Amino acid sequence: MDDLARIHGTPADIRARARNGLLTGNTAALASGYVQANIAIVRRAHADAFADYCLANARACPLLTRSEPGDPTLPALGDGIDIRHDLPRYRVYRDGTPTEAFHIADVWRDDFVTFAIGCSFTFDNALLAEGVPLRHVALGRNIAMYRTDRDTVAVGRFGGKLVVSMRPFARQDAARAVAISAAFDDQHGAPVHCGDPAALGIADLQRTDYGDPVPVDPDDVTLFWACGVTSQTALQAAGLPLFISHAPGSMLVTDRRHGAAG
């Protein structure tokens, strides 16, 4: 990821880089001041039930908007968005098996409904702006994510385990991280857990289920946030023959400013 994209790129610039194959990695720390979104795409027949699942599990899956069937645009989140091309990487799930793709125009269907779900990368930029260091950003890594032993609220065929993202902090920064993130209600809000990962059923922080591990120092405070990848576990649990998501860490960068209504 080049420095120009990280420091100066507008959301439209970043989407254009993704569309043209110039950005294929994670979007952490990009587009400070703008909302990033997890993406889930399902067929129309499953869309209403999945929307209800998101509403029942709003901490993990805060729903920002959904598209009309077959419409690849998301006007509530930005002009010119084409969800078939504007993510750095996608995962296409067929009968439960994922394959990665850099665009999805070749598998697009006229009954697909796109869901945009809030992402913690949005408040990462707010943390950085307040001088709170983030280790995954400093190391150029994706965020560390784990499947927990906590059940989400099932809705119909949608259910499964809660996924969390983890960030370690020096003790003096942890309280500030909690307070800053708590203001982002539609981007997972405050952490769901602090401290012992075993309380979430996580045996080893260096063995992530998604993303990249980051070093944790003995005196660090580990904070765990509900993660939008939970939506992918719910889609997998539902046994849908076809659905599409972002690849973990490869978010949609939107034109919506932090705190904008929508």
Side-chain angles (χ1 to χ4, degrees):
M1 189 185 306
D2 59 80
D3 288 341
L4 183 63
R6 183 178 295 278
I7 299 171
H8 299 296
T10 67
D13 292 335
I14 293 164
R15 294 195 300 270
R17 287 186 175 92
R19 190 177 299 186
N20 294 321
L22 300 177
L23 174 62
T24 60
N26 77 77
T27 56
L30 294 185
S32 182
Y34 292 90
V35 169
Q36 296 197 32
N38 300 270
I39 295 297
I41 302 171
V42 302
R43 298 187 67 179
R44 182 177 188 172
H46 308 296
D48 287 346
F50 182 67
D52 288 343
Y53 173 83
C54 291
L55 292 173
N57 297 278
R59 192 73 168 273
C61 303
L63 185 57
L64 302 177
T65 192
R66 63 185 280 187
S67 75
E68 294 298 319
D71 185 354
T73 69
L74 292 171
L77 297 181
D79 293 333
I81 290 175
D82 186 336
I83 204 62
R84 299 169 297 184
H85 300 281
D86 288 356
L87 273 64
R89 287 177 297 130
Y90 302 80
R91 282 189 174 173
V92 180
Y93 289 79
R94 295 181 177 87
D95 296 320
T97 301
T99 57
E100 291 219 342
F102 296 106
H103 66 83
I104 53 171
D106 56 339
V107 297
W108 188 256
R109 302 176 62 107
D110 62 9
D111 66 343
F112 272 158
V113 177
T114 301
F115 291 82
I117 294 167
C119 174
S120 63
F121 283 179
T122 304
F123 66 67
D124 274 357
N125 281 323
L127 293 174
L128 292 170
E130 293 295 325
V132 179
L134 292 169
R135 202 160 299 161
H136 64 285
V137 173
L139 295 173
R141 299 182 185 178
N142 195 1
I143 191 72
M145 291 167 276
Y146 307 87
R147 192 185 298 244
T148 74
D149 60 3
R150 293 188 181 181
D151 291 320
T152 59
V153 177
V155 175
R157 65 197 298 177
F158 296 102
K161 301 298 185 182
L162 174 70
V163 175
V164 294
S165 61
M166 186 279 296
R167 295 160 179 80
F169 296 95
R171 193 163 299 276
Q172 65 269 20
D173 293 322
R176 288 199 297 152
V178 171
I180 291 167
S181 64
F184 289 79
D185 287 339
D186 62 352
Q187 311 290 329
H188 307 304
V192 295
H193 181 67
C194 172
D196 183 9
L200 294 172
I202 301 169
D204 183 354
L205 289 177
Q206 295 307 304
R207 299 186 65 178
T208 59
D209 293 300
Y210 311 93
D212 302 322
V214 295
V216 177
D217 296 333
D219 293 333
D220 281 341
V221 176
T222 51
L223 298 180
F224 298 84
W225 279 265
C227 178
V229 174
T230 302
S231 64
Q232 295 182 28
T233 68
L235 291 166
Q236 289 175 286
L240 303 186
L242 175 65
F243 69 89
I244 301 170
S245 72
H246 66 285
S250 294
M251 306 301 174
L252 175 68
V253 179
T254 80
D255 293 343
R256 183 185 290 185
R257 287 278 188 178
H258 292 180

